[in-house]
């Protein structure tokens, strides 16, 4: 049973560019959440998707957008990249029908903006 | 509103001695509490979770945590530290909003555990 997978592992972009990160949830999970973890910090919630819609959003600008596909996989898009967007981006999956809110995390995508 | 405070940013212990990582929380809803571990350049691994079934929660790798509602605490302990325990540890609070049923994780700032030989 594959866990949460993310691609790519590492990415280097320049300021102003756009980036797309991908996530496949754990088998049986229907909800995907995205987090940004800056160096030396705890993860910060970006947004959460289920039923192909954004259901919750953290304090991130509109430059951050996402999508969820019918197979529950998800993409995170960031436009007009800033140096401050350099971080580890973590995807977490869960099952909305579960009684308790346990999320399982992928290995992350390390984004470097030059 | 929900928040979580990890009281120590760095903890150093000698191998074979007990580990205590402290976490206090605040939640407007009935909380779920979690501890995750992150090894360098890795994702987050779930250590254990409190979901109201029992106040003393046992996790993987010999870790356990006790939920104390009166103290709003959820401290992580291990009787004997191993070199492989050196990592960053995150305390997380979550709680479902009553109407929407939505929830999100609120992470603490992390505690870096160093294990000395």
């Amino acid at each position: 049973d594959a866990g949460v997978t993310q691609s790519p592992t590492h990415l280097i972009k320049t300021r102003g560019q756009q980036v797309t990160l991908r996530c496949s949830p754990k088998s049986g999970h229907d909800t995907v959440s995205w987090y940004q973890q800056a160096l030396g910090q705890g993860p910060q919630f970006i947004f959460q998707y289920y039923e192909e819609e954004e259901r919750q959003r953290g304090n991130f600008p509109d430059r951050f957008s996402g999508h969820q596909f019918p197979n529950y996989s998800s993409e995170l898009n960031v436009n007009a990249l800033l140096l401050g967007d350099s971080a580890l981006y973590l995807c977490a999956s869960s099952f909305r029908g579960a009684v308790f809110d346990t999320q399982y995390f992928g290995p992350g995508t390390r984004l470097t903006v030059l | 509103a929900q928040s979580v405070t990890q009281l120590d940013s760095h903890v150093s212990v000698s191998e074979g001695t007990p580990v205590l990582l402290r976490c206090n929380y605040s939640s407007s809803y009935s909380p779920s509490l979690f501890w995750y571990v992150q090894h360098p350049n890795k994702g987050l691994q779930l250590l254990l979770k409190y979901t109201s079934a029992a106040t003393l929660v046992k996790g993987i790798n010999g870790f356990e945590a006790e939920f104390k509602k009166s103290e709003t605490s959820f401290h992580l302990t291990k009787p004997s530290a191993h070199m492989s325990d050196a990592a960053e540890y995150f305390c997380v609070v979550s709680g479902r909003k009553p109407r929407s049923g939505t929830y999100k994780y609120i992470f603490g700032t992390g505690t870096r555990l160093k294990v000395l030989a």
Side-chain angles (χ1 to χ4, degrees):
Chain A
D1 177 24
V4 180
T5 60
Q6 294 185 243
S7 63
T9 305
H10 296 85
L11 207 50
I12 299 175
K13 293 285 187 179
T14 56
R15 280 180 296 175
Q17 285 190 311
Q18 179 264 341
V19 69
T20 297
L21 310 181
R22 295 176 176 81
C23 171
S24 291
K26 185 177 168 66
S27 178
H29 287 184
D30 57 6
T31 300
V32 172
S33 303
W34 286 92
Y35 296 82
Q36 181 195 66
Q37 186 179 19
L39 203 60
Q41 306 288 323
Q44 299 292 314
F45 175 75
I46 302 175
F47 44 51
Q48 182 180 82
Y49 277 82
Y50 60 84
E51 295 180 348
E52 302 179 45
E53 291 191 17
E54 183 183 296
R55 299 296 179 170
Q56 284 194 95
R57 190 178 184 91
N59 295 325
F60 281 80
D62 292 346
R63 298 186 298 109
F64 289 78
S65 64
H67 190 78
Q68 186 179 37
F69 299 94
N71 67 353
Y72 307 119
S73 66
S74 176
E75 289 182 348
L76 164 64
N77 301 292
V78 187
N79 294 322
L81 284 167
L82 304 173
L83 295 179
D85 295 332
S86 294
L88 180 68
Y89 288 85
L90 294 164
C91 168
S93 76
S94 55
F95 175 54
R96 183 165 173 248
V99 176
F100 303 116
D101 312 330
T102 306
Q103 296 188 359
Y104 295 86
F105 286 80
T109 293
R110 174 75 62 186
L111 172 65
T112 302
V113 182
L114 302 176
Chain B
Q2 296 174 295
S3 66
V4 60
T5 302
Q6 292 184 242
L7 299 166
D8 307 292
S9 59
H10 293 82
V11 170
S12 291
V13 301
S14 297
E15 191 175 21
T17 63
V19 176
L20 170 64
L21 306 183
R22 298 182 295 166
C23 172
N24 287 348
Y25 72 94
S26 171
S27 179
S28 303
Y29 321 110
S30 180
S32 295
L33 293 157
F34 307 82
W35 277 98
Y36 283 83
V37 61
Q38 186 175 37
H39 291 277
N41 300 313
K42 299 288 186 183
L44 294 158
Q45 181 184 19
L46 177 66
L47 275 180
L48 50 78
K49 60 185 177 184
Y50 166 75
T51 53
S52 77
T55 57
L56 183 62
V57 183
K58 294 188 183 298
I60 62 171
N61 301 336
F63 284 95
E64 61 181 38
E66 186 172 8
F67 173 72
K68 292 187 177 180
K69 186 175 181 179
S70 61
E71 300 176 10
T72 61
S73 69
F74 190 57
H75 301 333
L76 182 70
T77 60
K78 182 173 181 177
S80 176
H82 190 273
M83 297 297 288
S84 61
D85 295 328
E88 188 89 17
Y89 290 80
F90 291 97
C91 182
V92 177
V93 65
S94 175
R96 295 201 178 192
K97 295 181 180 179
R99 291 183 186 175
S100 67
T102 57
Y103 67 92
K104 61 184 178 185
Y105 274 14
I106 305 297
F107 280 80
T109 51
T111 298
R112 184 166 297 278
L113 175 65
K114 187 174 181 179
V115 181
L116 307 171

